[in-house]
Amino acid sequence: MKKLLLLCLPFLLIASDISVQVLGSGGPETTQRASSSYLIKRDGKALVLIDFGGGSFLRFSQAKAKIEDLEAMLCTHLHIDHVVDLPALMKAGYFSERLRSLPLIGPDANDYFPGFNEYIQLQFGKNGAYRYMSDILSQESDSFSIIPYEVSAYTNFDFNGVKITAVPVKHGVVPTLAFRIDIDGKKIVFSADTAAHTDTLEKLSVDADILIAHHAIPQHGYNHARELHMTPERIAQIAAVAKPKILVLSHRMKRTYGSEKESTDIIKKDYTGKLIWAEDLLSINLP
């Protein structure tokens, strides 16, 4: 027995606790919820930030997160309720202890939206809204620099062992990315806002430890919004195929309030795993 414990000791010493914390569980409306934002933590420290909508800046602080701990920041798309607090975080970073560059990943352009590289220039470039911070795009920055990556197709990244897969998904006319993060043997998937008309999300989410899906519309009505978001029935279909250990329903818009039981019943007909409704600052330890 002692020999067995000695053999296992190196693995016990390097084992880490991975968790997902919801910073913002709401949408673009004025509610008590912050807009979409999520944080992956390792041993209680911020590791990857996904989206940063209105109110997320405050939630980031309440989560006791530090920008200097982040390995990457991911932007699913450029709707205001997913990205508007980004400049505030970058400004706060100037006063942090971060010195190394921060990778930022976002979607490409179309006729309706700028690509992620252009978006960053519109914020911090020499002619941007916050041009006084333009040195953040330079390696000679007084604090740290940001490095944007614009994604137009299935792409893999690896930042110090944090493996990120970015995949374009359908969200009306909005260029949008879903993400899978593989870290320390855990698989974490973020659906982003999507109608999920193809099997892309099923494939990305197979055997995930956790799938964070957006519950932005109820099962009935809102026909136009069905080109932007998944119905509960579609979420159920994806979860039934992918079989994530935990399914989290987030991006909870006012039009879905009161439909939680109906949506739960619909999803539970096909999905037998653990189902959680997101709340701001909810932290979920991965099994």
Side-chain angles (χ1 to χ4, degrees), residues 28-189:
E29 304 141 314
T30 53
T31 69
Q32 296 299 307
R33 303 176 187 274
S35 295
S36 294
S37 185
Y38 312 95
L39 190 63
I40 298 174
K41 290 182 173 181
R42 177 165 56 192
D43 296 330
K45 290 186 176 182
L47 187 68
V48 181
L49 181 62
I50 300 90
D51 284 347
F52 211 60
S56 300
F57 181 74
L58 174 60
R59 296 286 188 253
F60 188 83
S61 176
Q62 291 172 329
K64 295 180 170 51
K66 295 182 178 180
I67 190 171
E68 48 262 52
D69 293 330
L70 290 174
E71 291 295 340
M73 181 174 178
L74 317 180
C75 176
T76 62
H77 62 291
L78 297 183
H79 268 158
I80 291 170
D81 57 315
H82 290 258
V83 76
V84 72
D85 275 9
L86 173 63
L89 183 63
M90 296 301 101
K91 179 61 179 178
Y94 179 86
F95 298 98
S96 74
E97 296 179 0
R98 188 179 188 100
L99 296 175
R100 61 194 175 108
S101 60
L102 176 63
L104 273 64
I105 302 172
D108 64 347
N110 66 7
D111 291 340
Y112 302 95
F113 286 83
F116 194 61
N117 290 333
E118 182 184 357
Y119 170 77
I120 294 298
Q121 288 293 329
L122 289 169
Q123 301 295 311
F124 305 112
K126 292 182 179 179
N127 296 310
Y130 308 109
R131 64 195 74 175
Y132 76 101
M133 285 185 61
S134 61
D135 73 324
I136 202 171
L137 299 178
S138 167
Q139 293 295 328
E140 286 74 45
S141 172
D142 288 339
S143 56
F144 68 98
S145 60
I146 58 176
I147 303 176
Y149 295 87
E150 185 173 311
V151 174
S152 60
Y154 188 107
T155 307
N156 292 312
F157 300 88
D158 189 332
F159 300 113
N160 294 322
V162 178
K163 297 180 180 179
I164 297 167
T165 302
V167 182
V169 291
K170 182 69 172 176
H171 182 40
V173 300
V174 190
T176 301
L177 300 172
F179 290 101
R180 187 183 75 229
I181 296 90
D182 292 86
I183 174 68
D184 295 355
K186 304 298 183 182
K187 296 181 180 180
I188 305 165
V189 178

Side-chain angles (χ1 to χ4, degrees), residues 123-286:
Q123 301 295 311
F124 305 112
K126 292 182 179 179
N127 296 310
Y130 308 109
R131 64 195 74 175
Y132 76 101
M133 285 185 61
S134 61
D135 73 324
I136 202 171
L137 299 178
S138 167
Q139 293 295 328
E140 286 74 45
S141 172
D142 288 339
S143 56
F144 68 98
S145 60
I146 58 176
I147 303 176
Y149 295 87
E150 185 173 311
V151 174
S152 60
Y154 188 107
T155 307
N156 292 312
F157 300 88
D158 189 332
F159 300 113
N160 294 322
V162 178
K163 297 180 180 179
I164 297 167
T165 302
V167 182
V169 291
K170 182 69 172 176
H171 182 40
V173 300
V174 190
T176 301
L177 300 172
F179 290 101
R180 187 183 75 229
I181 296 90
D182 292 86
I183 174 68
D184 295 355
K186 304 298 183 182
K187 296 181 180 180
I188 305 165
V189 178
F190 297 88
S191 74
D193 289 351
T194 178
H197 290 326
T198 69
D199 64 353
T200 297
L201 200 51
E202 282 98 331
K203 292 178 179 178
L204 188 69
S205 306
V206 168
D207 295 329
D209 289 280
I210 185 168
L211 166 61
I212 295 88
H214 285 178
H215 182 269
I217 56 173
Q219 182 61 32
H220 307 289
Y222 302 97
N223 291 335
H224 173 71
R226 290 167 180 256
E227 294 302 312
L228 298 170
H229 298 288
M230 297 180 284
T231 62
E233 184 177 58
R234 182 68 185 115
I235 295 173
Q237 292 168 352
I238 292 167
V241 172
K243 295 181 172 58
K245 293 182 178 68
I246 301 172
L247 173 64
V248 177
L249 301 180
S250 190
H251 199 291
R252 302 173 62 181
M253 295 180 65
K254 286 182 179 179
R255 60 195 176 196
T256 69
Y257 291 3
S259 68
E260 289 84 358
K261 183 181 184 304
E262 179 188 35
S263 295
T264 296
D265 291 343
I266 290 169
I267 292 169
K268 279 297 186 180
K269 286 180 181 178
D270 297 314
Y271 172 68
T272 58
K274 187 175 183 179
L275 176 63
I276 297 174
W277 288 89
E279 299 288 350
D280 286 17
L281 296 177
L282 172 69
S283 185
I284 305 165
N285 292 319
L286 299 194

